[in-house]
Amino acid sequence: MELPRNSNYQSSGDGHEASSCRKGNKKRQRHTSEQIQRLEEFFINCTHPDENDRKQLCRELGLEPNQIMFWFQNKRTQIKAQTERAETTALRQLNENIRRENFAMKETLKNVVCPTCDGLPISGEDQQLSLQRLQLENSYLKQEHDKLANLLPKYNATPVVGSSLNLSPGCSMNQVIARPPLNLSPTNPALAYQLKENTEMEKALMKDIADSAMEELVKLFQIEKPIWIKSPTNGRYLLNRDNYVKMFPKAKHFKNSRARVESSKDSGVVHISAAHLIDMFLDSNKWEELFPTIVTTAKTIEVLETGMSGNRNGCLKLMYEQIHILSPLVLPRAFYFLRHCQQTEPGTWVIADVSYNSAKGSFARQPQSWRLPSGCMIEDMHNGYAKITWIEHMEVDDKTQTHRLYRDLICSSVAYGAERWIVTLQRMCERFDCLMDDVGSTCVFGGVVTLPEGKKSLMKLSQRMVKNFCGMLSMEGKLDFPQLSEVDSSGIRVSVHKSAEIGQPHGTIVSIATSLWLPLSSQTIFNFFRDEKTRIQWDVLSHGIPVHEIAYISTGTHPENHISIIRPFIPTEDNMLMLQECHIDPLGSFIIYAPVDIQSLNVAISGEDSSNIAILPSGFLISGDGRPEMGDACGSLVTVAFHILVSSPTTSEQMNMELVATVNTLISSTVKKIKVALKCSGLD
């Protein structure tokens, strides 16, 4: 597609340039090609630029606003036409397949014979009479069943469950499956067979979907150009939508103007064997623990195929997960998906994920995100390491528009992109290495941590602290007091829930969080929070008393990645210490901490089980803002979150609102102190 030269030119939708262009002006053509390349790149992330985006493009490319507007109109028209052609082709092929199957079934019915007596085909008139006779017999049997259902309770203490199976012509297979389990018995084998047959039909459908996703994903791993293009702004690999649709035509899952597509590919090396990694990917509990800062919840719904012993080839599971970008301003994403494992060659496995929807229970809800064939290729390097290539590809329906602070980060396929999964996996593998090392090689303990068991117990406690902190940030489904879900002009979110979980304080917990933008690099902000000398400038738990680090355990190769035990210089009356974990990587950093009394901390340090220690974390998450850096200009997104145990139960709405006002003041004053300390107090 070429760019219109005349600002008054309006295209009919085919994207061709006006004929008045001068073909001989090579310099102008080259310049136009650069403009088009920039517009194509922008179009991948945003198909409907707002007025600010159009102004930015005008300044960058030296074009008129109308030229920008018409180019995007033409491009959208072209994409829509291509998509409609692909959908039409797919539907036409599907219709042809159905027509052939229908014809084949009709021909088969003409030659059907009775399997018992090898009788001749039944005529249409005889079939109609037989159908009427069966309907009358079915009505009679139903009446007899109802009579028995009413009589048997008189002779048996256990009542018979009445039939709730709807066998009317309008009842679909999924409606039958979704009904409550029936009290089946050997006297009704036909009914049991029908339920089993329907279940097997759905399993066959899921297997077909998983096989198709695996086939597509393997091709995406094998093909470079023209499917994958490298973004000149950040160097990340994105799918070329036009070429992808030509190679893998399919109907869009969300057909509205709010829908968009995110795609990304990345690779890296991790210090873990391929077999161990595959085992963790196929276990929902281990999967959740492996990505604590991405996966909030993970469950295995059904195991369809266990796979071959030893290599898990052919394993197929129906799973559920909720993933989160870890800001209260962004809603989490939830998926029901099929996970399929296949060994493509010796030492190489592919794990494919694809969304799946069903009419069972909560499956009936329309999701806001749909995972297209995604996943990873795992190559065993036979030295304790594995190479991981990751692809993320999904459609998103932004019913509530993404918050402006996180729009660039999400739309550029960074927030939920392949690189984040790779970086998180590398962090956790480094942590596993530190967990298995002896205490002396990874600790500076100063007489505090002296046993390997104590180090492991303390690391597990800190891991749970980080996971609890990240899980609380979604603030979804935890509002026992819905009126307290506050969204004020400053972007502060509040939720209140009652906790009775093991490992958390029992009682009413208030979660309060906000995210803000600061015109500083992520490294600068991380250094500020990490420095124990500046802690008194923002930490309300220090009560204005300087603190110092009395022990730390390394969790990775970066010197700042470690778990700390922090103590105030002046001992407090309640004998409280601070457990803190810091981490920094190319995509961001976090500082998460929680007060722990000395007695509980001694339990962990001595090597005893720390799973029952109650811990309530607070902290900070820092990341880039997703915008391309312009020279020295850069910005970062910071999430501040506190989780507070209420000493007295809240019983009235007035008390609840007073509580909200108190914690709102707490986080607002903390944000103000941070801005002042970082010389950013002039920001709104």
Side-chain angles (χ1 to χ4, degrees), residues 3 13 79 89 110 136 138 169 181 210 251 269 298 313 328 382 393 410 465-466 519 528 530 542 565 591 612 638 644:
L3 194 68
I79 295 298
T89 301
K110 290 180 182 179
L136 291 173
N138 185 52
V269 175
N313 181 40
H382 305 294
H393 190 196
I410 293 176
M465 175 182 70
V466 172
F528 168 73
R530 176 68 188 87
S542 66
I565 299 176
I591 299 97
N612 291 325
V638 182
I644 304 165

Side-chain angles (χ1 to χ4, degrees), residues 31-153:
H31 183 60
T32 301
S33 176
E34 294 172 355
Q35 292 172 336
I36 292 174
Q37 182 179 0
R38 172 63 178 132
L39 290 171
E40 291 278 3
E41 176 188 330
F42 193 94
F43 187 86
I44 292 175
N45 298 326
C46 180
T47 59
H48 290 77
D50 55 23
E51 185 177 354
N52 291 334
D53 293 333
R54 292 197 296 270
K55 288 181 179 179
Q56 179 183 345
L57 289 172
C58 288
R59 289 192 298 269
E60 289 181 11
L61 304 177
L63 299 174
E64 297 294 328
N66 283 344
Q67 289 180 288
I68 300 295
M69 180 178 67
F70 293 145
W71 189 92
F72 275 90
Q73 288 177 353
N74 293 340
K75 184 66 175 178
R76 288 194 297 269
T77 302
Q78 184 186 49
I79 295 298
K80 181 179 179 182
Q82 292 173 350
T83 304
E84 288 176 350
R85 284 196 296 271
E87 291 176 356
T88 301
T89 301
L91 291 173
R92 187 180 291 112
Q93 182 64 40
L94 179 61
N95 185 52
E96 181 64 19
N97 292 340
I98 294 174
R99 189 188 67 79
R100 286 198 297 265
E101 290 175 2
N102 189 36
F103 178 80
M105 285 189 288
K106 286 182 179 179
E107 291 297 316
T108 302
L109 287 174
K110 290 180 182 179
N111 301 315
V112 68
V113 295
C114 176
T116 303
C117 62
D118 288 335
L120 295 175
I122 303 173
S123 66
E125 183 177 354
D126 291 338
Q127 288 180 0
Q128 186 65 29
L129 292 174
S130 297
L131 179 61
Q132 293 176 0
R133 185 168 59 253
L134 289 173
Q135 288 174 340
L136 291 173
E137 185 177 354
N138 185 52
S139 177
Y140 170 77
L141 291 174
K142 187 176 184 302
Q143 292 175 5
E144 293 296 313
H145 176 273
D146 292 339
K147 289 179 182 178
L148 289 173
N150 293 328
L151 288 173
L152 284 179

Side-chain angles (χ1 to χ4, degrees), residues 403-611:
H403 194 279
R404 58 180 178 81
L405 286 180
Y406 285 85
R407 191 179 304 163
D408 292 319
L409 192 67
I410 293 176
C411 292
S412 60
S413 298
V414 175
Y416 293 106
E419 185 180 6
R420 186 171 297 277
W421 291 92
I422 291 286
V423 168
T424 304
L425 181 59
Q426 289 173 332
R427 173 176 79 85
M428 294 304 296
C429 289
E430 286 186 358
R431 188 186 182 94
F432 295 152
D433 288 343
C434 294
L435 185 65
M436 300 308 296
D437 286 345
D438 59 20
V439 66
S441 63
T442 56
C443 280
V444 176
F445 39 85
V448 177
V449 183
T450 58
L451 298 172
E453 295 80 6
K455 185 192 75 167
K456 292 179 180 179
S457 182
L458 202 62
M459 289 184 71
K460 290 180 180 179
L461 177 62
S462 184
Q463 169 76 354
R464 180 159 58 86
M465 175 182 70
V466 172
K467 183 168 174 30
N468 288 353
F469 176 84
C470 296
M472 289 179 177
L473 279 179
S474 64
M475 295 188 177
E476 185 181 56
K478 298 180 180 179
L479 295 178
D480 290 339
F481 309 97
Q483 72 274 15
L484 298 183
S485 180
E486 296 289 328
V487 183
D488 61 17
S489 59
S490 62
I492 295 175
R493 305 296 197 266
V494 180
S495 73
V496 179
H497 72 281
K498 293 180 179 178
S499 171
E501 299 178 15
I502 298 175
Q504 287 187 12
H506 291 184
T508 302
I509 295 178
V510 181
S511 299
I512 182 165
T514 188
S515 295
L516 63 149
W517 179 83
L518 293 175
L520 301 169
S521 68
S522 298
Q523 182 71 58
T524 300
I525 300 172
F526 176 80
N527 291 341
F528 168 73
F529 288 121
R530 176 68 188 87
D531 190 352
E532 60 187 38
K533 296 178 182 178
T534 61
R535 192 179 190 99
I536 59 174
Q537 298 182 38
W538 55 265
D539 186 9
V540 295
L541 295 179
S542 66
H543 304 290
I545 301 173
V547 300
H548 68 111
E549 192 176 62
I550 61 173
Y552 75 84
I553 302 170
S554 296
T555 59
T557 56
H558 194 286
E560 295 292 351
N561 295 348
H562 56 256
I563 300 165
S564 306
I565 299 176
I566 298 173
R567 182 176 66 187
F569 275 109
I570 303 175
T572 58
E573 295 180 359
D574 54 5
N575 291 322
M576 296 298 289
L577 300 177
M578 197 80 69
L579 180 66
Q580 177 173 286
E581 180 161 348
C582 301
H583 174 80
I584 187 167
D585 58 49
L587 292 183
S589 56
F590 63 74
I591 299 97
I592 299 171
Y593 58 92
V596 184
D597 63 84
I598 293 178
Q599 182 179 0
S600 297
L601 207 55
N602 282 334
V603 170
I605 292 173
S606 64
E608 297 181 36
D609 183 14
S610 61
S611 60

Side-chain angles (χ1 to χ4, degrees), residues 537 667-678 680-681:
Q537 298 182 38
I667 198 167
S668 298
S669 62
T670 301
V671 169
K672 185 177 180 180
K673 291 176 182 178
I674 293 170
K675 288 182 176 181
V676 170
L678 292 173
C680 299
S681 55

